[in-house]
Amino acid sequence: MKPVSRSRYINIALHVLIWSAMILMPYVVSTARSGYSIGSIPGLIFSLSGFIHMAIFYTNAYFLVPKLFNRRFWWLYFISAFLLAGLSIPLKWQMLAAWFPDVQKDFTLYRFVFAPSFAILVISFLYRILADRISHEKEQKERRAEQMAAELKFLRSQVSPHFLFNVLTNLVSLARKKSDQMEPALIRLSGLMRYMLYDTQQQKVALQKEIEYLNSYVELQKLRFGSDVKIEYETDIREVAYEIEPMLLIPFVENAFKHGTGTSETPWISIRLTVIEGVMVLEVRNRFETQTSKDDSSGIGLHNAKARLNMLYKGRHRLEINDRNKVFHVTLTLHLT
């Protein structure tokens, strides 16, 4: 059963329960010896009035308020609502005259017999306004969720081709060098592609898979650059029983290899990943040239990663980026719990 249908059925059941309790109240709280009366009001009048109040409630809540309570017909609404409640007065009067003439002569009971019609009118008005507000907020929430899902899907669609382009560039470099590492590199690439095609379709993946994905990527880069680039990669993973948004870490590492390997000075890249007590810290540093030209795709990965973090881990992450002394330094702190 869909959540919307379940909520609707629960709402209907709640209405039935409340009205049933009101209509049957005289036969529950009093006895036949007292004529099932509620105070001095006969049980039959109390129950029949319940049906009248029910008609007032639903006519006002589901017809008058939605159709007339607006800027154009607001005055017509108040006239119609007053007439709706007012019509119940002669109806109740006739019931008293026909079945309980003695009660009809007791003017002190009129406020308990006739006034509830107007009280129910006010309650139904407040109910309709509150229900509309809740419905509007629910629709807004669902619309925001759909928009977020669409944005995340778009961001993921940008991440995968961007990453694949860089990996294929790495393999081309290995092929040109006729490296013996070509075969293990292809095996690693196969594992990466399997992760990208299948695991990333889920909203979240096991943290262990994301770490293995990162390990394979770094190993591919080591095969590509060999001793030309100093690559430091350290991990301190004390617990992996968590889940994470797929391909969330790779843009920061990708960016380091993209901009940190073409420097005139000895290029170096440092990556450190720790997971301790539910807190993951990724620290990436690389040397860069201040005058390095940027292509059209420069910054796409970091931009997407920031957007995904803000949508999925708002209030649960801290991202620090600085580029002092020709060193680009990224520190991502993420609370996984």
Side-chain angles (χ1 to χ4, degrees):
M1 185 183 298
K2 295 182 179 179
V4 175
S5 300
R6 186 183 299 114
S7 176
R8 181 180 179 183
Y9 288 135
I10 291 175
N11 187 50
I12 292 174
L14 185 61
H15 280 245
V16 171
L17 179 63
I18 292 174
W19 285 111
S20 297
M22 291 181 63
I23 292 171
L24 298 176
M25 184 183 297
Y27 309 99
V28 176
V29 300
S30 62
T31 63
R33 179 178 298 180
S34 63
Y36 297 108
S37 298
I38 299 293
S40 298
I41 302 175
L44 179 60
I45 294 298
F46 191 95
S47 297
L48 291 177
S49 295
F51 287 104
I52 295 173
H53 298 156
M54 189 188 307
I56 294 173
F57 183 93
Y58 290 109
T59 300
N60 184 59
Y62 289 93
F63 180 75
L64 296 184
V65 176
K67 299 293 185 180
L68 301 178
F69 189 70
N70 51 52
R71 293 181 180 179
R72 185 177 179 182
F73 296 110
W74 62 270
W75 56 272
L76 185 57
Y77 164 74
F78 286 106
I79 294 175
S80 302
F82 181 79
L83 289 175
L84 175 66
L87 287 174
S88 69
I89 303 302
L91 182 58
K92 291 180 179 179
W93 177 273
Q94 290 298 325
M95 289 192 303
L96 288 174
W99 298 317
F100 302 95
D102 293 337
V103 176
Q104 185 187 33
K105 297 176 183 179
D106 189 351
F107 296 102
T108 60
L109 296 179
Y110 281 14
R111 58 178 175 174
F112 300 107
V113 175
F114 302 122
S117 295
F118 295 93
I120 290 294
L121 185 71
V122 174
I123 293 172
S124 69
F125 175 82
L126 296 176
Y127 166 81
R128 180 75 265 174
I129 297 300
L130 181 60
D132 286 344
R133 178 172 295 182
I134 293 175
S135 178
H136 176 72
E137 291 178 353
K138 184 177 180 180
E139 290 176 0
Q140 290 291 100
K141 185 177 180 180
E142 291 176 351
R143 190 176 294 111
R144 287 194 296 268
E146 291 175 359
Q147 182 179 2
M148 181 181 291
E151 290 177 359
L152 283 173
K153 185 176 181 180
F154 172 72
L155 292 175
R156 285 185 180 180
S157 69
Q158 288 185 307
V159 169
S160 298
H162 185 252
F163 166 77
L164 183 59
F165 173 79
N166 286 343
V167 171
L168 291 176
T169 301
N170 297 349
L171 293 179
V172 170
S173 177
L174 290 175
R176 287 176 178 173
K177 294 179 181 179
K178 297 181 179 180
S179 172
D180 294 336
Q181 300 297 328
M182 186 65 179
E183 183 177 348
L186 287 172
I187 294 175
R188 287 189 178 275
L189 177 60
S190 175
L192 295 180
M193 292 296 295
R194 186 181 302 108
Y195 179 81
M196 291 167 58
L197 290 174
Y198 300 108
D199 294 328
T200 58
Q201 300 304 312
Q202 306 173 29
Q203 291 185 349
K204 288 190 176 183
V205 297
L207 177 61
Q208 181 63 42
K209 289 186 176 182
E210 181 75 2
I211 294 174
E212 291 174 356
Y213 176 80
L214 190 63
N215 292 344
S216 296
Y217 177 83
V218 173
E219 290 301 317
L220 279 174
Q221 296 289 16
K222 286 182 178 180
L223 289 176
R224 174 189 175 188
F225 293 107
S227 59
D228 294 338
V229 178
K230 183 180 179 182
I231 301 174
E232 299 175 357
Y233 181 54
E234 300 179 15
T235 59
D236 184 6
I237 314 298
R238 302 185 186 181
E239 48 190 347
V240 292
Y242 299 103
E243 291 185 328
I244 191 173
E245 168 75 10
M247 298 188 72
L248 187 66
L249 307 180
I250 194 64
F252 303 104
V253 178
E254 241 187 342
N255 185 75
F257 280 100
K258 182 175 182 180
H259 299 286
T261 57
T263 61
S264 57
E265 302 180 49
T266 303
W268 62 268
I269 295 171
S270 174
I271 305 166
R272 178 171 174 77
L273 177 66
T274 64
V275 180
I276 301 175
E277 296 182 354
V279 179
M280 184 192 72
V281 179
L282 174 66
E283 187 176 11
V284 183
R285 294 181 296 162
N286 64 275
R287 182 178 285 132
F288 72 97
E289 295 287 353
T290 55
Q291 297 181 348
T292 301
S293 61
K294 296 183 178 181
D295 56 35
D296 294 337
S297 64
S298 180
I300 288 179
L302 289 183
H303 173 77
N304 289 349
K306 290 178 183 178
R308 294 167 73 195
L309 284 169
N310 288 332
M311 284 192 287
L312 296 168
Y313 295 96
K314 189 172 184 178
R316 296 169 52 201
H317 81 281
R318 184 174 70 254
L319 180 61
E320 302 175 53
I321 301 177
N322 64 70
D323 55 359
R324 293 189 294 268
N325 302 321
K326 294 185 179 181
V327 174
F328 194 81
H329 189 182
V330 176
T331 303
L332 171 62
T333 304
L334 187 66
H335 293 268
L336 299 170
T337 54

